[in-house]
Amino acid sequence: MTTPEKPAPVNFIRHIINQDLETNKHGGRVATRFPPEPNGYLHIGHAKSICLNFGIAEDYPNATCNMRFDDTNPTKEDIDYVNSILADVHWLGFEWAGDVKYTSDYFDQLYDYAVELINKGKAYVCSLSAEEIRRTRGTLTEPGIDSPYRNRSVKENLDLFTRMRAGEFKDGEHVLRAKIDMASPNINMRDPVMYRILHASHHQTADKWCIYPMYDYSHPIADALEGITHSLCTLEFEDHRPLYDWTLDNITIDCHPQQIEFARLSLEHTVMSKRKLNELVTRKFVDGWDDPRMPTIAGIRRRGYTPESIRDFCDRIGITKVDTVIEMGVLENCIREDLDANAPRAMCVLNPLKVVIESVPADKTEMLVFINHPKTETLGKREIPFTREIYIDRSDFEENPPKDYKRLIPGGEVRLRGAYVIKCEQVVKDNDGNIIELRCRHDEKTLGKNPEGRKVKGVIHWVSATDCVDVEVRLYDRLFRADDPLVISKSADIKDQLNPDSLVIMEHCKAEKSLGTAKAGDTFQFEREGYFCVDNRHSTAERLVFNRTVTLRDTWAKIQEKQA
Ligand code: ATP
Ligand code: MG
């Protein structure tokens, strides 16, 4: 969404597109696509690709971006994944051109092009096993070995390929391979497999097919059939580009999109591979794909991130050809800034300590007016009851305070946010010496102004103990201990990399009464505690559950600074 305040991003891909428009390379058209495989939920790395592809379509006149499922692997795919991916793209605020597309829409054409390649002597049926194909493929320093089936006649190839399609063979008995060059320095060009036999039902085509095309063969053709101009993918496909071009150069098709690679997003303290994320889900280390600790779009949404904050993040990290690992703090700053500007303020005591204000009569309730946001008047005002019994946070009282402690101490004073100054007169303990409550007095003359001649430095948050809501609060931290995603993905068992403190559940937190009507997804700044949102899965009207989206400040940066 380009506005006068927010100019379109500049990056090397947009430079290429600008040049292509000047030279009329693709007839002045710009068409991109986002092509996920529906084998898992989208993650924040996909968001980078989504913002890039759909962002180009938004910014260039008449440009389009297709939504295409790269669904050539039926055993790993599922319609649930299809639906979640579509919902996530919409949630991020993007709209695709026309109908949703599927590579499986083109299975007939892909088959016909394979027959064309066979007829031209550029593809053959190979009857080596997968293991033998791997073994004869050679290495980076040694050429591969020709398959003994490489010189089958066109007639024999056509016959076998037809019978592969007809279901006459078992999985793995034959494959169709491109006939390129087993001595190519690029391993991807050593007669890559184009089709494999897979007797598996497909979520779109059911049992129509028992042979399925490989990604490297189907992707360029699907792009060309859709008239894509710029096929943007991540750097690991750079070595596949010659095969992308070879495929289109050797079939009869009048469109040749340009593949351009960019660096994938990696984030500290997490992994982006759907396979690894799937493992976290299936081994129940997390509460599903949308666990708020997951780097999935669904997880981040449940955590309380807004679409704007994710789009802002993608703008900030930009598009380059250099692989880097982004600090989690960069993502967190985006949501922190968004919520600082837009989330209403509220008070919630996470670790309650009862305070009895003996100077307030037991039957008195005074309604105090609070503004919901210090800068945004449109967020309005609310009333908070002030009563004889209140809660403050246990950490806001110290019997033996360290130097410079500005909050409540025995005999000391503190200001209750938006209310009065109170003085602690007595600390009540149980038989084991645990503090059960504080006895205080308030100073009536201090509502909204400082007491004359007395300096009260500390301001703490509080809620009425007799007029509040009991809520559950979930505090999240990094899911993985290591900051290096490579360490995480290479770890023998992902379990050993998990941060045991990534989730802390606080029950019986006390929130101000106005939060009682909060709905799933609503976000708030809990004064002095951070930004929180109502969980969209476990929260009910009877029992509100809040997720901490992010802390008020970047505490990790501070810890790291100290360590350095
Ligand atoms: P994964 O390893 O997570 O399964 P993938 O690349 O196999 O990733 P796809 O569903 O095939 O996932 O990806 C769809 C699109 O999203 C592709 O164009 C891919 O390049 C892009 N993409 C995937 N991961 C990232 C990432 N970390 N950063 C940027 N783009 C990504
Ligand atoms: Mg994939």
Side-chain angles (χ1 to χ4, degrees):
M1 268 170 271
T2 310
T3 61
E5 305 84 60
K6 207 160 175 287
V10 178
N11 57 54
F12 81 95
I13 292 179
R14 286 176 183 244
H15 275 303
I16 295 174
I17 293 176
N18 294 342
Q19 274 171 6
D20 291 347
L21 283 173
E22 265 171 38
T23 59
N24 208 32
K25 182 169 171 190
H26 302 278
R29 290 185 315 110
V30 178
T32 58
R33 85 288 172 261
F34 173 62
E37 187 185 348
N39 62 346
Y41 279 55
L42 295 183
H43 50 61
I44 180 84
H46 292 113
K48 176 175 180 177
S49 176
I50 291 170
C51 290
L52 173 64
N53 283 293
F54 286 98
I56 286 169
E58 277 186 354
D59 291 343
Y60 286 87
N62 303 320
T64 54
C65 178
N66 284 355
M67 175 74 222
R68 183 201 314 146
F69 286 100
D70 212 329
D71 56 345
T72 55
N73 213 349
T75 54
K76 299 222 172 104
E77 296 165 6
D78 196 287
I79 194 74
D80 282 349
Y81 295 139
V82 169
N83 292 331
S84 78
I85 289 170
L86 294 177
D88 286 350
V89 172
H90 267 156
W91 180 74
L92 282 172
F94 294 108
E95 194 52 67
W96 45 85
D99 293 338
V100 172
K101 318 256 185 307
Y102 297 84
T103 300
S104 56
D105 294 341
Y106 314 124
F107 279 174
D108 284 303
Q109 283 129 302
L110 288 163
Y111 182 85
D112 292 344
Y113 283 123
V115 170
E116 178 182 349
L117 287 170
I118 293 173
N119 275 319
K120 287 178 171 167
K122 289 180 184 290
Y124 63 97
V125 173
C126 178
S127 310
L128 294 176
S129 68
E131 175 49 34
E132 285 164 327
I133 290 178
R134 206 174 306 126
R135 220 168 346 102
T136 52
R137 203 173 48 177
T139 64
L140 285 175
T141 50
E142 281 169 54
I145 301 164
D146 282 2
S147 160
Y149 305 100
R150 199 169 196 265
N151 292 317
R152 273 178 167 152
S153 68
V154 168
K155 192 162 163 261
E156 190 183 1
N157 282 324
L158 282 177
D159 173 60
L160 285 169
F161 191 50
T162 311
R163 288 165 59 202
M164 277 168 69
R165 176 187 187 168
E168 286 187 27
F169 306 112
K170 291 197 287 290
D171 288 4
E173 231 175 301
H174 306 284
V175 293
L176 185 72
R177 293 176 75 173
K179 192 169 179 177
I180 309 180
D181 179 7
M182 288 306 290
S184 170
N186 183 339
I187 293 185
N188 296 301
M189 299 298 272
R190 295 182 190 165
D191 293 7
V193 173
M194 295 163 54
Y195 266 93
R196 65 211 192 288
I197 300 170
L198 211 57
H199 290 272
S201 212
H202 187 286
H203 51 100
Q204 302 298 324
T205 57
D207 296 316
K208 180 175 174 195
W209 295 89
C210 63
I211 55 171
Y212 290 95
M214 303 299 287
Y215 172 90
D216 278 336
Y217 170 68
S218 59
H219 201 80
I221 298 178
D223 279 348
L225 287 172
E226 291 179 9
I228 300 302
T229 56
H230 300 84
S231 177
L232 314 178
C233 62
T234 36
L235 280 180
E236 67 272 23
F237 289 101
E238 196 161 19
D239 290 344
H240 297 238
R241 193 179 345 126
L243 180 53
Y244 185 100
D245 290 332
W246 181 92
T247 304
L248 295 178
D249 286 342
N250 286 284
I251 60 173
T252 312
I253 201 159
D254 57 5
C255 174
H256 195 133
Q258 179 181 0
Q259 176 179 309
I260 308 171
E261 308 84 17
F262 63 96
R264 61 193 293 122
L265 168 67
S266 303
L267 262 187
E268 279 187 352
H269 296 285
T270 196
V271 283
M272 293 289 177
S273 131
K274 277 182 271 174
R275 196 171 53 82
K276 287 280 174 189
L277 297 176
N278 195 0
E279 186 181 341
L280 292 173
V281 174
T282 46
R283 293 177 69 188
K284 297 204 175 358
F285 296 139
V286 294
D287 173 31
W289 283 95
D290 65 349
D291 184 296
R293 293 164 294 177
M294 290 280 269
T296 51
I297 307 272
I300 292 172
R301 170 168 63 231
R302 187 170 161 201
R303 176 87 169 247
Y305 277 71
T306 59
E308 293 76 20
S309 66
I310 295 175
R311 291 173 66 148
D312 180 29
F313 170 71
C314 292
D315 278 350
R316 289 192 203 189
I317 56 173
I319 302 289
T320 67
K321 268 201 176 277
V322 188
D323 273 320
T324 47
V325 181
I326 306 287
E327 281 174 34
M328 197 64 117
V330 178
L331 178 62
E332 290 174 345
N333 270 332
C334 292
I335 188 61
R336 193 178 282 124
E337 284 179 24
D338 182 347
L339 294 179
D340 179 40
N342 299 306
R345 277 39 176 172
M347 293 200 286
C348 179
V349 174
L350 301 192
N351 210 343
L353 171 62
K354 171 87 66 78
V355 173
V356 180
I357 307 170
E358 294 183 305
S359 48
V360 175
D363 56 358
K364 185 172 175 191
T365 298
E366 184 182 356
M367 297 309 287
L368 300 175
V369 177
F370 281 67
I371 51 168
N372 288 333
H373 194 282
K375 292 189 202 120
T376 314
E377 268 175 39
T378 49
L379 287 177
K381 296 176 178 167
R382 68 191 188 286
E383 291 192 322
I384 297 182
F386 178 71
T387 52
R388 177 181 166 89
E389 295 193 357
I390 64 168
Y391 290 114
I392 65 169
D393 200 274
R394 277 191 180 264
S395 65
D396 285 332
F397 175 77
E398 280 293 341
E399 251 190 318
N400 305 299
K403 246 191 29 219
D404 296 336
Y405 188 79
K406 296 197 187 81
R407 292 161 280 165
L408 199 56
I409 60 174
E413 286 186 319
V414 79
R415 169 172 290 283
L416 299 176
R417 161 84 89 199
Y420 300 92
V421 170
I422 57 168
K423 179 174 186 180
C424 176
E425 308 215 302
Q426 192 194 343
V427 182
V428 183
K429 296 184 180 176
D430 65 12
N431 292 337
D432 298 325
N434 301 311
I435 301 173
I436 358 178
E437 67 178 40
L438 305 178
R439 300 251 151 191
C440 296
R441 297 189 73 76
H442 80 304
D443 183 342
E444 276 206 337
K445 299 189 297 298
T446 57
L447 181 63
K449 58 174 193 272
N450 264 330
E452 257 166 59
R454 305 205 305 274
K455 266 216 178 107
V456 181
K457 281 210 186 114
V459 182
I460 63 174
H461 62 290
W462 57 276
V463 297
S464 162
T466 41
D467 209 358
C468 63
V469 278
D470 202 270
V471 302
E472 178 177 318
V473 170
R474 299 178 181 173
L475 305 178
Y476 300 102
D477 202 347
R478 315 290 199 243
L479 185 50
F480 292 95
R481 284 183 294 127
D483 56 3
D484 184 351
L486 267 185
V487 172
I488 303 167
S489 41
K490 292 218 175 95
S491 123
D493 189 344
I494 203 165
K495 190 175 167 202
D496 301 329
Q497 289 296 337
L498 294 174
N499 171 8
D501 304 317
S502 63
L503 169 63
V504 175
I505 295 182
M506 316 265 299
E507 284 177 284
H508 306 301
C509 302
K510 308 293 181 185
E512 63 170 77
K513 200 182 167 186
S514 73
L515 287 179
T517 53
K519 301 276 174 304
D522 286 356
T523 54
F524 300 92
Q525 184 198 88
F526 287 171
E527 306 247 10
R528 303 180 61 232
E529 294 290 2
Y531 296 97
F532 293 77
C533 81
V534 181
D535 189 66
N536 64 17
R537 219 189 228 273
H538 296 154
S539 193
T540 62
E542 292 71 42
R543 175 150 197 77
L544 282 169
V545 177
F546 285 91
N547 296 318
R548 184 171 68 196
T549 310
V550 68
T551 52
L552 285 180
R553 277 168 289 276
D554 187 352
T555 46
W556 273 75
K558 268 194 221 148
I559 293 168
Q560 276 161 352
E561 246 169 57
K562 259 191 205 155
Q563 283 170 349

